[in-house]
Amino acid sequence: MSVAHADDADDYSRPTGETYHAEKALPSGDFYTGQWRDNLPHGHGKYLWTDGCMYVGEWHRGKTMGKGRFSWPSGATYEGDFKNGYMDGKGTYIDSSGDLYRGSWVMNLRHGQGTKSYVNGDCYDGEWRRGLQDGHGRYQWKNENHYIGQWKNGMMNGNGTMIWSNGNRYDGSWEDSAPKGNGTFRWSDGSFYVGVWSKDPKEQNGTYYPLSTSTGNFDWQPQQVFYVDLSECVVCTCQRIPVLPSQKMPVWYGSSSEQSSSGNRTKSSERPRRRSVDGRVSNAEMELRNNGSGYLQVDDTESNRSSPLGPLRIQPAKKQGQTISKGHKNYDLMLNLQLGIRHSVGRPAPATSLDLKASAFDPKEKLWTKFPSEGSKYTPPHQSCEFKWKDYCPVVFRTLRKLFNVDAADYMLSICGNDALRELSSPGKSGSFFYLTNDDRYMIKTMKKAETKVLIRMLPAYYNHVRACENTLVTKFFGLHCVKLTGTAQKKVRFVIMGNLFCTGHSIHRRFDLKGSSHGRLTTKPESEIDPNTTLKDLDLNFLFRLQKNWFQEFCRQVDKDCEFLEQERIMDYSLLVGLHFRESSCNNSATPTSGARTPTDNRPSRGEMDRFLLDTSKLASMQLGINMPARVERTVRRSDAENQLVGEPTGEFYDVILYFGVIDILQDYDISKKLEHAYKSMQYDPTSISAVDPKQYSRRFRDIISRKSGSFFYLTNDDRYMIKTMKKAETKVTIKIQFFKMYQDSLI
């Protein structure tokens, strides 16, 4: 067998699609031997790099795909599944020191169930997340001490049990690999200590119960657990993989992204033709529409392709809102708000457990404070008018801030520091006004009395939900307050403080408010006035969001949990707020034109840059469900004759993005006004297209359209005269009721 360069012209004389054995010496000095098709490795083959790395296994159109073995010059090896060049699936990795991991991988990261055996004799068996122990797992040290319980970011965190080889054990809460919160320490003789644990002796509080009055460890101090018993229970860290296989993948001449020496492109990027339900290729007679697909899908794409749609216009993002300076109509209100927050958060309060009493949620649990202009024993003098300040359920919101890891000093500095708040340009649909802190961390919304009642009513369930679901997508609430102006006005302004979903170092280039309905879900602004701060709606959406499989599954599970909670609380009309940062725009060093015209496909980041992004520890720590998530979007186009088509036709044009999303507007109760709105609009429009539906139906529709296929498909006859739609049983019942009602109206006329 002769050796030839990978771009030799004789390859193009072979019939397209023929697979044969080849040996290829690349200009870089690398060498490939194995099966070859269409000028790309395809089948089983071996690739040798000049630095000593080697891959032996399956290839698919130039990428490692399937079973394979990758070895490094250091002696480290990985053997298992590959996908698009990544270690992805089930596999075993042995590093140069001898540590062995066997389990699940996602995009070069240990993710899922896996076992890690360390060369020093330690072993971990349990769940992994983004390369670190996360979830439930068991760690056993070589001295036979072992921990069974919850992990987070590679550390013991949550509820767990530590059992020492001498028979002693600790059962309770952990934080950063140390007891924190309620817990019990038991000795092998049966005596035990129960209390609140902390490394800080001032926060430590508990009671010792000896086995009998005659014997016991009366001289024992709880701090001994931290500095003696746990001193040898150190969790081993995982060695970093020196060079990722995906960073080593070569760019093949003749692939869909490269021009071959003959000037021709391969046909691998052509979009497959759709098939009808009986498997036959569809032309015009029965075209399968994508109308039933969800907004978010699993990312199983293998390549990008350009689209004839033209460049996607991305304008530079500007800071939202108008700074509230002296002379602004709401300047005094801002001062009142800042004074009240400083007083509430800074007020001394005893340490509270996360297990709150029912009395803390009582609607009558509120504190009034008077703020005279000249000051008082508890309040400072100020330049604003005299006002009263009310805190609703202060213990609950203080505990929520603790649960969400909000530092009290940072919280006060963000809201009450030297920088003024910013007011968003226009009020929301409900008439509420929104204010942003200068650092964009918190959003303040004025509330109607009805909304305040809804939040207080659902507060116990909300607290239990966010405590149980660490990755919940629902809005984070940090405080509920009221300012009451004294004098003749007697005006009350209620407001809630929330986390800002788009508090990020990345510019948000597109933002969408998605409800899963179509009626009235189109932005009325002309295209020339739409900028990155414009919130677009369902019918404006021109992307499919493609998440990695594990993220997508986690997203679906969390949406189900959040929707069940909102449905039980009789909440509807909530939205999925989505923000997109196009990564290509941040890779371009040239200035963005003021007109906003640019092409995101220029300067596309390499696969190695994507790996470095995913494995950057600072970015990894900030990445969670709905926050700072690397993903891909596929551009779509709606048919001109499908006015209410929620999801357009995919074009095959992909962009790398950073995604932010969360469930917002969760305070709309299905009250009498919404019931009347539903009855009125149902007589004029398709009931499945309107927003005002009962919470159960709203929850079901929201989950169906956003996270998975709704099950409905549309077909056209060859002459375009008739459309056929598959329907669910519930839709059929609604349609029959509408037709009956219309027939009844016609009979009256």
Side-chain angles (χ1 to χ4, degrees):
M1 182 74 67
S2 61
V3 177
H5 284 286
D7 56 350
D8 280 357
D10 61 347
D11 287 329
Y12 299 102
S13 61
R14 292 180 179 272
T16 301
E18 179 185 349
T19 302
Y20 61 98
H21 185 84
E23 295 183 359
K24 302 290 181 179
L26 279 74
S28 62
D30 299 344
F31 181 79
Y32 171 82
T33 176
Q35 292 178 295
W36 194 266
R37 187 172 78 182
D38 293 342
N39 207 31
L40 292 170
H42 191 85
H44 192 275
K46 178 195 292 186
Y47 194 103
L48 297 171
W49 284 268
T50 54
D51 62 3
C53 292
M54 180 176 70
Y55 171 80
V56 181
E58 298 175 21
W59 296 75
H60 181 76
R61 286 160 49 184
K63 295 181 180 179
T64 53
M65 185 85 72
K67 301 289 184 182
R69 186 178 189 273
F70 194 98
S71 58
W72 288 262
S74 63
T77 60
Y78 169 83
E79 188 166 0
D81 296 330
F82 285 82
K83 182 179 178 182
N84 291 331
Y86 290 100
M87 299 181 289
D88 198 301
K90 300 291 184 182
T92 300
Y93 175 75
I94 305 175
D95 64 27
S96 56
S97 68
D99 291 350
L100 181 148
Y101 171 82
R102 180 180 288 110
S104 297
W105 295 77
V106 173
M107 295 182 73
N108 296 328
L109 295 173
R110 302 169 183 88
H111 193 99
Q113 196 72 22
T115 301
K116 175 84 174 183
S117 300
Y118 299 90
V119 70
N120 68 349
D122 293 356
C123 179
Y124 171 82
D125 185 5
E127 294 176 276
W128 297 73
R129 181 183 172 91
R130 301 194 295 273
L132 298 170
Q133 297 96 328
D134 202 303
H136 189 273
R138 182 181 190 272
Y139 192 102
Q140 180 165 325
W141 285 266
K142 59 183 177 181
N143 59 9
E144 296 188 357
N145 295 344
H146 60 275
Y147 168 85
I148 304 173
Q150 294 298 314
W151 294 74
K152 184 177 181 181
N153 294 330
M155 305 182 79
M156 295 175 280
N157 202 99
N159 293 323
T161 299
M162 174 72 76
I163 302 176
W164 284 267
S165 56
N166 61 9
N168 296 345
R169 63 183 289 163
Y170 168 83
D171 298 270
S173 298
W174 294 76
E175 186 177 292
D176 297 336
S177 292
K180 178 73 173 179
N182 295 320
T184 302
F185 188 90
R186 299 179 184 274
W187 284 267
S188 56
D189 63 4
S191 56
F192 59 95
Y193 172 90
V194 179
V196 177
W197 292 74
S198 175
K199 281 186 177 181
D200 186 352
K202 296 179 181 178
E203 297 179 0
Q204 184 86 35
N205 184 22
T207 305
Y208 174 65
Y209 296 91
L211 181 62
S212 65
T213 56
S214 58
T215 61
N217 301 305
F218 294 104
D219 296 330
W220 176 83
Q221 294 294 327
Q223 294 299 303
Q224 181 179 336
V225 174
F226 296 98
Y227 301 109
V228 179
D229 297 335
L230 290 174
S231 60
E232 296 182 358
C233 299
V234 178
V235 177
C236 293
T237 57
C238 299
Q239 279 195 7
R240 191 164 183 172
I241 298 175
V243 179
L244 299 171
S246 55
Q247 294 175 318
K248 300 291 292 181
M249 289 301 105
V251 176
W252 297 96
Y253 298 100
S255 65
S256 60
S257 60
E258 294 291 328
Q259 196 78 17
S260 69
S261 59
S262 64
N264 296 324
R265 290 184 180 270
T266 65
K267 297 182 180 181
S268 59
S269 63
E270 290 184 2
R271 188 169 187 84
R273 298 172 73 184
R274 302 184 187 275
R275 294 181 178 273
S276 62
V277 291
D278 60 359
R280 293 177 296 178
V281 175
S282 168
N283 293 315
E285 64 275 8
M286 289 287 278
E287 183 181 358
L288 178 61
R289 305 298 170 87
N290 204 23
N291 200 35
S293 298
Y295 295 139
L296 284 91
Q297 301 178 358
V298 176
D299 184 10
D300 56 0
T301 55
E302 296 178 14
S303 61
N304 298 331
R305 76 170 188 133
S306 59
S307 172
L309 297 175
L312 182 68
R313 299 173 65 88
I314 298 180
Q315 297 181 4
K318 298 178 182 178
K319 209 162 189 176
Q320 280 186 288
Q322 174 192 0
T323 301
I324 303 177
S325 54
K326 198 164 186 177
H328 191 282
K329 63 179 181 178
N330 289 324
Y331 180 74
D332 285 343
L333 178 62
M334 181 191 72
L335 291 182
N336 298 345
L337 188 153
Q338 291 178 325
L339 286 166
I341 293 292
R342 188 180 291 113
H343 172 76
S344 297
V345 179
R347 184 172 50 231
T352 57
S353 166
L354 295 180
D355 298 319
L356 296 178
K357 297 180 180 179
S359 58
F361 298 93
D362 192 327
K364 297 178 181 178
E365 187 69 17
K366 57 189 77 168
L367 291 176
W368 278 103
T369 305
K370 192 174 182 179
F371 281 79
S373 300
E374 66 276 9
S376 68
K377 182 179 178 180
Y378 303 104
T379 63
H382 56 88
Q383 298 177 353
S384 180
C385 59
E386 183 175 323
F387 68 95
K388 286 184 178 180
W389 174 267
K390 182 194 290 187
D391 291 315
Y392 295 91
C393 301
V395 175
V396 177
F397 285 103
R398 190 187 316 123
T399 311
L400 280 171
R401 293 194 293 270
K402 178 182 177 182
L403 190 65
F404 294 137
N405 297 317
V406 174
D407 181 77
D410 291 341
Y411 183 71
M412 279 197 294
L413 192 62
S414 292
I415 301 174
C416 314
N418 295 327
D419 297 313
L421 302 177
R422 303 196 314 274
E423 184 179 70
L424 297 190
S425 56
S426 60
K429 184 180 178 181
S430 64
S432 299
F433 284 87
F434 292 85
Y435 304 93
L436 278 174
T437 56
N438 189 62
D439 58 5
D440 288 332
R441 293 180 65 184
Y442 304 105
M443 179 174 285
I444 301 167
K445 174 190 176 185
T446 61
M447 302 262 287
K448 291 183 177 180
K449 187 175 182 179
E451 289 179 306
T452 306
K453 287 183 176 181
V454 169
L455 178 53
I456 294 174
R457 184 205 74 201
M458 65 185 285
L459 198 54
Y462 173 82
Y463 179 82
N464 292 330
H465 178 73
V466 298
R467 186 181 176 187
C469 301
E470 181 184 0
N471 290 325
T472 182
L473 299 174
V474 298
T475 305
K476 290 181 170 63
F477 295 120
F478 302 119
L480 182 62
H481 313 280
C482 175
V483 170
K484 181 179 180 182
L485 302 179
T486 58
T488 56
Q490 293 287 308
K491 181 182 177 182
K492 282 186 180 180
V493 181
R494 301 172 184 85
F495 56 90
V496 65
I497 302 176
M498 308 175 288
N500 179 18
L501 182 63
F502 296 152
C503 175
T504 167
H506 295 117
S507 299
I508 301 298
H509 299 122
R510 289 285 189 278
R511 56 188 74 206
F512 295 93
D513 181 286
L514 307 174
K515 292 182 182 291
S517 57
S518 58
H519 176 68
R521 302 298 295 162
L522 184 68
T523 303
T524 55
K525 281 187 178 181
E527 188 174 352
S528 58
E529 295 181 15
I530 293 177
D531 58 31
N533 290 331
T534 303
T535 301
L536 303 171
K537 300 179 183 179
D538 296 72
L539 295 182
D540 302 304
L541 183 64
N542 57 341
F543 296 106
L544 286 175
F545 307 103
R546 297 191 178 275
L547 301 181
Q548 202 280 332
K549 183 178 179 181
N550 289 66
W551 278 118
F552 178 78
Q553 291 172 341
E554 187 172 343
F555 169 81
C556 291
R557 285 193 295 267
Q558 192 56 56
V559 166
D560 285 340
K561 292 178 183 177
D562 290 340
C563 285
E564 286 171 7
F565 154 68
L566 295 172
E567 182 182 330
Q568 289 170 3
E569 294 302 308
R570 300 290 295 167
I571 301 296
M572 44 78 68
D573 214 23
Y574 43 89
S575 310
L576 184 75
L577 183 64
V578 182
L580 282 76
H581 166 79
F582 288 91
R583 295 188 60 230
E584 289 81 353
S585 64
S586 57
C587 294
N588 194 340
N589 296 324
S590 60
T592 304
T594 55
S595 65
R598 62 176 284 103
T599 309
T601 50
D602 297 336
N603 299 315
R604 180 175 297 281
S606 66
R607 183 66 72 183
E609 287 174 330
M610 178 64 106
D611 287 329
R612 285 191 290 275
F613 174 84
L614 289 172
L615 294 179
D616 187 304
T617 53
S618 61
K619 293 183 174 65
L620 196 63
S622 63
M623 185 169 59
Q624 63 186 76
L625 185 65
I627 298 175
N628 200 35
M629 290 182 60
R632 308 177 81 201
V633 294
E634 181 178 5
R635 202 171 175 188
T636 62
V637 174
R638 283 188 177 81
R639 292 176 53 88
S640 58
D641 59 346
E643 295 180 1
N644 293 330
Q645 185 183 13
L646 283 176
V647 182
E649 297 287 342
T651 64
E653 181 181 346
F654 295 89
Y655 302 107
D656 292 319
V657 299
I658 307 296
L659 270 185
Y660 296 84
F661 54 80
V663 179
I664 63 168
D665 296 338
I666 63 170
L667 298 178
Q668 179 57 62
D669 192 17
Y670 191 55
D671 54 17
I672 186 63
S673 63
K674 286 295 178 181
K675 292 177 180 178
L676 291 173
E677 181 183 346
H678 171 75
Y680 174 72
K681 288 185 177 179
S682 295
M683 293 187 289
Q684 304 180 61
Y685 310 104
D686 180 358
T688 62
S689 72
I690 62 177
S691 178
V693 294
D694 73 85
K696 188 172 184 179
Q697 184 181 347
Y698 193 96
S699 169
R700 182 169 55 247
R701 183 181 65 186
F702 186 84
R703 283 184 269 186
D704 282 346
I705 192 62
I706 287 182
S707 62
R708 57 180 62 84
K709 290 180 182 291
S710 66
S712 295
F713 294 95
F714 291 77
Y715 304 94
L716 273 179
T717 57
N718 188 52
D719 57 6
D720 290 333
R721 293 180 63 188
Y722 304 105
M723 178 178 284
I724 304 168
K725 175 190 176 185
T726 62
M727 297 182 69
K728 288 185 174 182
K729 186 176 181 180
E731 290 181 293
T732 308
K733 289 182 177 179
V734 171
T735 304
I736 293 172
K737 288 179 181 178
I738 294 171
Q739 294 300 324
F740 178 80
F741 186 76
K742 287 182 177 178
M743 290 171 61
Y744 176 72
Q745 283 186 314
D746 293 341
S747 65
L748 293 177
I749 295 172

